[in-house]
Amino acid sequence: MEAERRPTVPDAIGAMDGLIATMIVGQQEFARNLGLSVTDLVCFAYVLEAGDTPVTAGDLATRAHVTTGAVTGVLNRLERGGFVTRQPDPADRRRVRVVAVPDAAERVVAVYGPFYARLAELFARYSPDELALLVDWFTRAGELARGYLDESC
């Protein structure tokens, strides 16, 4: 009887590459459905992630790995599309804070909601220990990717 083949590191990297490729296509479709570019959507996601803490244009430029000039164009498009508003920073009049428009957040939830529901169903199949491992891996892989981008770009 043949032993079951255990996945290898190259198998894991291949599976991850397949997921990333599919997610890139998905992000392009989600962005298109919202009338945004992928970079605009990524920046808006960072604004949403900040919650009640407004972010600066510089914060967005750093997180999205774009220039401050490019992020100005992103913010112009997001503002025209009704996704964000810009508010003066009360501590520094030279700085502008970016805040999500609540209706825009609802539009994004409407686009992502069905997909996230399917992801929740998939994650629910895993035990708490397995889920902890997945969260740990995603967190560490995200940190590794951000570190690599910071070093090489």
Side-chain angles (χ1 to χ4, degrees), residues 68-143:
T68 53
V71 91
T72 298
V74 168
L75 292 176
N76 288 343
R77 289 187 298 275
L78 288 173
E79 195 169 42
R80 272 194 312 270
F83 288 89
V84 301
T85 59
R86 295 181 230 203
Q87 302 172 348
D89 185 332
D92 183 350
R93 292 184 2 201
R94 295 168 297 172
R95 291 175 61 157
V96 173
R97 299 287 185 168
V98 182
V99 179
V101 172
D103 289 349
E106 291 174 16
R107 284 189 278 164
V108 171
V109 168
V111 169
Y112 277 88
F115 177 61
Y116 278 17
R118 289 182 183 192
L119 284 175
E121 288 174 12
L122 176 62
F123 283 127
R125 296 179 184 173
Y126 292 89
S127 72
D129 287 343
E130 291 170 324
L131 197 54
L133 179 66
L134 288 168
V135 169
D136 178 66
W137 190 89
F138 285 128
T139 302
R140 289 176 188 227
E143 290 168 356

Side-chain angles (χ1 to χ4, degrees), residues 1-57:
M1 180 175 202
E2 190 175 315
E4 183 178 329
R5 181 179 174 276
R6 296 188 54 101
T8 63
V9 170
D11 293 333
I13 291 173
M16 182 191 66
D17 283 347
L19 172 63
I20 290 170
T22 301
M23 294 302 289
I24 288 170
V25 171
Q27 285 294 85
Q28 291 169 338
E29 287 300 308
F30 290 150
R32 186 184 56 74
N33 287 338
L34 290 162
L36 299 172
S37 72
V38 172
T39 301
D40 295 353
L41 181 58
V42 166
C43 287
F44 185 62
Y46 291 143
V47 172
L48 289 176
E49 184 181 285
D52 293 333
T53 308
V55 297
T56 67

